[in-house]
Amino acid sequence: SQELEQSPQSLIVQEGKNLTINCTSSKTLYGLYWYKQKYGEGLIFLMMLQKGGEEKSHEKITAKLDEKKQQSSLHITASQPSHAGIYLCGVNAGGTSYGKLTFGQGTILTVHP
Amino acid sequence: GAVVSQHPSRVICKSGTSVKIECRSLDFQATTMFWYRQFPKQSLMLMATSNEGSKATYEQGVEKDKFLINHASLTLSTLTVTSAHPEDSSFYICSASLSSGTTDTQYFGPGTRLTVL
C-alpha cells in the first residue's frame, strides 16, 4: 500500500513568514490532493496536482508536484493567522481501490500574530 | 459549489443505543461517498466506501454490522453506529466524490463528534 510521510509534523511561524510543507510518497505519485483542516472541523479542499512538474496556486498557497522525487510541496507566502490549521496530503489508493484516499499524518501549522 | 453537510454536528448518547449520522451533498450528486473516523491528533482513517444503490465496502477491521451504511440516494448517505460503546466515541467525517473529466475530488463534510457515555 502507498504511504505518505509529511514533514515537518508541526510548524510554528511568525505572521508574515514564508513556510513549506512536504509530502513524500512511498510509491509513484499519480495525483496528489492537499486539504486543510481546522481542529474539530471537516477538511477543506485546497488543490489537486496531477502531472509531474505541475504547480498550482490558490491565494497565497502554492503546491508543486515532483514525480521523480515522489514528492509534493506546499508553500505559503506571507503567512497569516488564518492559515493556521492541519494540512493533509492525500493520494488515490489506485487499482481496484481507486477513489479511496490515503492521507499523510498531517502537519500542524501555528501562526503567531 | 461542492458543499457537503453532516447532521448532527455533535451527539451524546448512552452506551448501548444507536446513533445515525447523515451526510448530504447539497449541490451535486455523488454516487460514491466515504466515511472516515478521526482520533485526536491523528489523521483520517477510512472506514468504508458508500455506493449509491449497492452495499457499502468496508475497510479491513471495520465491523459492518456495527457501522451500518445506507446510500439510498445520490445525495444522501447515512452511517448508523449500532449499540454504541464508549470506545466508539470519535470524530466521524464523510466525503462525497465529485467527478470532473478524468479526475475525482472528494469534498468533506464538517464532521460529527460522537460521545458515548
Side-chain angles (χ1 to χ4, degrees):
Chain A
S1 62
Q2 190 166 14
E3 296 183 353
L4 297 175
E5 181 76 24
Q6 287 185 235
S7 63
Q9 292 187 10
S10 64
L11 191 55
I12 301 173
V13 300
Q14 202 68 33
E15 182 178 1
K17 295 294 186 182
N18 302 336
L19 62 104
T20 300
I21 298 169
N22 292 305
C23 176
T24 303
S25 172
S26 60
K27 296 184 179 180
T28 302
L29 283 169
Y30 292 108
L32 185 132
Y33 300 80
W34 281 101
Y35 289 87
K36 177 187 173 184
Q37 182 182 30
K38 286 196 175 289
Y39 179 74
E41 300 181 12
L43 278 65
I44 299 169
F45 172 70
L46 295 176
M47 56 195 88
M48 185 218 173
L49 303 168
Q50 278 187 287
K51 304 173 186 177
E54 186 174 12
E55 180 176 322
K56 286 187 178 178
S57 293
H58 174 69
E59 297 179 345
K60 293 185 178 180
I61 302 175
T62 301
K64 300 179 185 179
L65 180 63
D66 188 330
E67 267 186 351
K68 291 181 181 177
K69 291 184 178 179
Q70 296 180 182
Q71 185 178 70
S72 177
S73 60
L74 185 83
H75 184 77
I76 299 178
T77 304
S79 59
Q80 299 173 354
S82 60
H83 287 127
I86 304 167
Y87 288 82
L88 293 151
C89 61
V91 291
N92 271 310
T96 58
S97 301
Y98 186 81
K100 297 182 185 178
L101 285 179
T102 300
F103 287 97
Q105 80 277 26
T107 295
I108 302 171
L109 172 63
T110 304
V111 181
H112 286 310
Chain B
V3 179
V4 177
S5 70
Q6 273 184 250
H7 178 79
S9 57
R10 291 176 178 271
V11 58
I12 301 172
C13 69
K14 293 183 179 180
S15 184
T17 60
S18 294
V19 174
K20 181 186 284 188
I21 303 170
E22 292 184 349
C23 178
R24 293 182 185 271
S25 55
L26 298 184
D27 51 3
F28 66 100
Q29 294 182 330
T31 55
T32 306
M33 291 185 176
F34 300 89
W35 287 96
Y36 295 83
R37 185 172 179 175
Q38 187 177 35
F39 292 101
K41 298 185 179 180
Q42 292 188 24
S43 190
L44 280 71
M45 181 190 77
L46 179 64
M47 298 175 65
T49 302
S50 174
N51 304 296
E52 189 268 336
S54 64
K55 292 183 179 180
T57 306
Y58 290 83
E59 295 301 299
Q60 192 172 8
V62 178
E63 298 176 58
K64 62 179 181 180
D65 294 330
K66 180 165 187 62
F67 298 99
L68 300 179
I69 291 172
N70 183 276
H71 194 155
S73 78
L74 289 172
T75 58
L76 173 64
S77 175
T78 60
L79 168 69
T80 301
V81 183
T82 62
S83 187
H85 287 91
E87 57 265 29
D88 298 323
S89 298
S90 190
F91 192 56
Y92 292 88
I93 308 177
C94 72
S95 71
S97 185
L98 175 60
S99 295
S100 176
T102 58
T103 63
D104 294 326
T105 300
Q106 287 188 34
Y107 291 91
F108 287 78
T112 296
R113 174 79 56 193
L114 170 63
T115 303
V116 184
L117 302 176

